[in-house]
Amino acid sequence: MTRRATPLLARAARAIALMVVAAAALPGCRPSDGEARHAHPAPPAPASVAAYQVNIRRPSGPPLIELAGADPQGRAASVACSTCHSVRKPNLENKTAASLDEFHQGLTVNHGALACYACHSPDNADTLRLADGTTVEYVDVMTLCSQCHSKQAESFAHGAHGGMNGFWDLSRGPQTKNNCIDCHDPHAPKYPKMVVDFKPHDRFLDASEEPHDRH
Amino acid sequence: MTDTNHPSRPDLPTLPIIENFSRRAAIKGGFATLGAAAFVAAISPLRHAAQNTSAGEFMQNHYTELTPEQKADVIARLEEEAKEKYGAEVTIGDDRPIPGTKFVYAINLSVCNGNGKCVEACHKENNHDRATNQSYIRVIEMPKGTMDMEQGSTTYTGAVPKDDKFYLPVQCQQCDEPPCVDVCPVKATWKEDDGIVVVDYNWCIGCRYCEAACPYHARRFNWKQPEVPAEEVNPDQSYLSNRIRPVGVVEKCTYCLHRTRRGKLPACLEACPTGARVFGNILDPESNIRWLLENKRVYILKEELGTKPAFFYYFD
Ligand code: SF4
Ligand code: SF4
């Protein structure tokens, strides 16, 4: 079927169209492109007041600890931090996972030289605390992170740190932004390595291959 | 007719300088001189082109010259074609620039880890050919200590980031002095009021001058008709962006104008898992991008060429 003519042929045809014009350029065929370009009015400028907002995702609340094993009904169980921590005296000497002998073993603690109670509240295990002792709810974890990472927090506030989705134009729709712990494990905040799984079949710029862009 | 050969000025170049909408002119000229049948017979490959692209497409005016009615016809025809060729119900919009908007993009190279999710998102969003994994973005793995993109490689694989490398995603920089636009002999590519450099795929003659002129290797040529399974076709399209391109034309990143002119963020930005990408309206003093340009030390690629990119890179 002729619709499947080769690209080369189509290009040749178009090139001929181009050459013909050199001989057949007509007067008056040059458009005033400035006018033509604006012939169709665009929708009106967005209202300057933002009708929508930037929603920052939040954790749902204090984390729950999955218990090893099941309850008598065979269900896996999870408990709040305070379940154990309200009856155990906080040990401020615990600074690494290595010194934990009963629970939380195998926990990765790779967040600078911080000890557990630098961020977790010794008085109420279902909350966090700032360096000055102020209590911070788990859902407000970004307040805690920001006390040390103020540069990142500033960039975050201006959309220059952290992923986002939705609208850049808040007069047309909302935007959703990740919070710190969506991307960073608070106990080991270094962003994990990733594996590249999608590649254009494109040999460009690779010296070991043919130096032409094939696609 | 303009005499472009300058017989009185032998020092000037003698090649014809074609600076109008000459594809249209070629057809008009041909018909005027020879009469329709003789014209078509005289340049028989055009008959194939006409059959290949449909007469309607071949006779179509330049995008900027179309009346609203003509545009509606063209778009209806293209939607019909998408159904016929791809089995996909698509909607092709005619998204125009938002007044008072100039789009600017920035990437934090301290954060980008080269994972390529942006590349994949662009591929899907823009209905690129599945077999070639085509995309408008190349992420270049760069040796630390240089911003010379020619020293990098795009074919890295495995776990990223690697210790002695950084990653430089490159896509169209929507230059304010775009060499690609200057060289187009038929004005099939131009810069719009919001800064986006667009291509009228139905006007492009596939000469690839623009591809050669772009110092950022940001343009792609469609060697074959893109193959996209019906269920993977992104139906939200625009005439000047992600509608499925015909074979034999040049295409490029449009800052996802079918999204961004509707207020949304570009697909590659939403897909970026590290949050390295920032997009916005530089004319809005309250915008993120404005804050970034005022507060970070930004770089542009190949500054010495004077292309004035609307695309910035920074480290923090
Ligand atoms: S980056 Fe290349 S294609 Fe994009 S505007 Fe600049 S010269 Fe043109
Ligand atoms: S802005 Fe859109 S078209 Fe441009 S590179 Fe990103 S996904 Fe692709």
Side-chain angles (χ1 to χ4, degrees):
Chain A
M1 167 77 184
T2 39
R3 270 187 166 274
R4 293 197 45 86
T6 66
L8 213 61
L9 186 55
R11 284 172 63 213
R14 286 160 187 236
I16 287 172
L18 172 60
M19 290 184 306
V20 169
V21 77
L26 295 175
C29 63
R30 178 164 187 188
S32 49
D33 44 357
E35 279 164 34
R37 201 169 294 176
H38 304 297
H40 314 300
S48 52
V49 276
Y52 298 88
Q53 56 184 6
V54 175
N55 302 310
I56 298 169
R57 287 159 46 97
R58 301 170 109 202
S60 53
L64 294 174
I65 304 297
E66 298 293 328
L67 291 182
D71 68 8
Q73 282 74 38
R75 294 170 300 199
S78 52
V79 296
C81 306
S82 54
T83 308
C84 303
H85 283 277
S86 56
V87 297
R88 287 180 71 113
K89 221 164 103 43
N91 178 2
L92 300 180
E93 292 308 306
N94 276 336
K95 294 193 172 125
T96 67
S99 63
L100 301 171
D101 51 16
E102 220 180 338
F103 288 101
H104 302 314
Q105 282 134 319
L107 188 75
T108 312
V109 184
N110 201 358
H111 193 160
L114 294 181
C116 307
Y117 290 111
C119 304
H120 293 279
S121 183
D123 309 323
N124 177 358
D126 290 331
T127 62
L128 301 164
R129 69 160 179 180
L130 299 183
D132 67 359
T134 313
T135 297
V136 172
E137 298 297 328
Y138 267 100
V139 293
D140 298 325
V141 60
M142 289 190 68
T143 312
L144 180 85
C145 305
S146 302
Q147 66 179 346
C148 297
H149 303 286
S150 62
K151 270 282 161 210
Q152 284 80 356
E154 187 193 25
S155 288
F156 181 91
H158 292 98
H161 186 106
M164 62 191 88
N165 273 277
F167 289 74
W168 64 268
D169 179 355
L170 294 176
S171 71
R172 301 209 200 188
Q175 194 184 101
T176 305
K177 286 173 77 169
N178 295 331
N179 71 50
C180 308
I181 65 170
D182 282 331
C183 302
H184 302 282
D185 174 347
H187 293 142
K190 190 175 190 307
Y191 199 86
K193 287 215 186 251
M194 292 176 70
V195 173
V196 182
D197 62 357
F198 180 94
K199 275 271 154 190
H201 303 149
D202 178 337
R203 300 284 172 261
F204 195 78
L205 287 179
D206 189 359
S208 66
E209 302 280 350
E210 195 187 352
H212 286 292
D213 181 4
R214 306 292 253 118
H215 300 295
Chain B
M1 174 170 167
T2 321
D3 180 6
T4 48
N5 284 341
H6 309 291
S8 57
R9 297 279 312 276
D11 53 315
L12 290 177
T14 55
L15 280 173
I17 296 159
I18 304 162
E19 49 175 43
N20 51 32
F21 292 57
S22 38
R23 207 175 122 178
R24 180 74 176 156
I27 299 159
K28 273 207 256 175
F31 277 82
T33 335
L34 300 170
F39 174 62
V40 170
I43 43 172
S44 71
L46 281 179
R47 283 196 309 198
H48 296 287
Q51 284 156 345
N52 187 31
T53 56
S54 87
E57 195 263 315
F58 197 71
M59 298 305 289
Q60 182 185 320
N61 244 331
H62 190 281
Y63 171 81
T64 59
E65 296 272 279
L66 295 172
T67 65
E69 296 74 38
Q70 287 171 328
K71 257 188 197 170
D73 287 352
V74 167
I75 284 173
R77 192 186 76 227
L78 293 170
E79 288 174 347
E80 194 49 47
E81 264 176 39
K83 203 159 165 193
E84 202 178 293
K85 287 191 190 161
Y86 291 91
E89 296 278 353
V90 307
T91 316
I92 303 177
D94 176 33
D95 296 280
R96 304 303 304 140
I98 305 165
T101 304
K102 173 162 161 64
F103 289 129
V104 171
Y105 214 139
I107 294 185
N108 185 346
L109 297 181
S110 308
V111 169
C112 175
N113 65 6
N115 65 73
K117 294 285 178 214
C118 54
V119 180
E120 184 178 9
C122 179
H123 167 80
K124 292 185 175 149
E125 180 69 29
N126 290 291
N127 295 312
H128 280 293
D129 179 50
R130 292 299 181 255
T132 51
N133 278 7
Q134 188 57 276
S135 172
Y136 296 142
I137 308 177
R138 284 195 184 92
V139 183
I140 308 178
E141 185 174 71
M142 299 280 294
K144 281 189 174 162
T146 177
M147 280 291 274
D148 174 7
M149 61 188 272
E150 314 294 339
Q151 290 191 34
S153 154
T154 59
T155 49
Y156 66 92
T157 50
V160 287
K162 300 196 177 86
D163 286 343
D164 50 344
K165 307 285 191 203
F166 76 97
Y167 297 84
L168 182 69
V170 181
Q171 61 209 67
C172 176
Q173 314 271 305
Q174 317 294 353
C175 308
D176 284 345
E177 299 289 346
C180 57
V181 167
D182 291 345
V183 298
C184 179
V186 296
K187 292 199 172 171
T189 182
W190 65 93
K191 191 173 176 69
E192 300 232 301
D193 285 348
D194 54 3
I196 297 176
V197 173
V198 294
V199 179
D200 181 349
Y201 313 119
N202 288 63
W203 201 259
C204 173
I205 58 169
C207 72
R208 302 176 69 202
Y209 286 5
C210 58
E211 195 187 354
C214 170
Y216 306 98
H217 313 298
R219 287 179 172 251
R220 306 281 182 276
F221 184 67
N222 263 291
W223 289 99
K224 61 198 265 288
Q225 181 73 41
E227 281 166 36
V228 190
E231 65 280 8
E232 289 178 23
V233 169
N234 174 5
D236 296 327
Q237 305 183 359
S238 193
Y239 181 91
L240 291 173
S241 62
N242 64 336
R243 68 182 166 98
I244 308 179
R245 276 74 57 192
V247 67
V249 302
V250 170
E251 54 175 304
K252 61 182 283 298
C253 163
T254 61
Y255 280 178
C256 282
L257 64 80
H258 57 283
R259 298 173 59 94
T260 52
R261 285 181 181 172
R262 300 173 194 173
K264 289 186 183 159
L265 290 160
C268 50
L269 184 148
E270 288 198 337
C272 177
T274 69
R277 292 172 166 261
V278 186
F279 178 84
N281 174 16
I282 197 179
L283 300 181
D284 173 2
E286 301 300 317
S287 64
N288 291 335
I289 199 84
R290 245 320 243 285
W291 178 87
L292 191 148
L293 295 176
E294 283 161 12
N295 290 279
K296 303 280 183 187
R297 218 173 102 189
V298 296
Y299 302 74
I300 55 173
L301 288 184
K302 305 196 181 189
E303 183 175 12
E304 66 283 3
L305 299 179
T307 50
K308 302 204 183 110
F311 203 105
F312 298 88
Y313 297 93
Y314 67 104
F315 296 90
D316 62 13

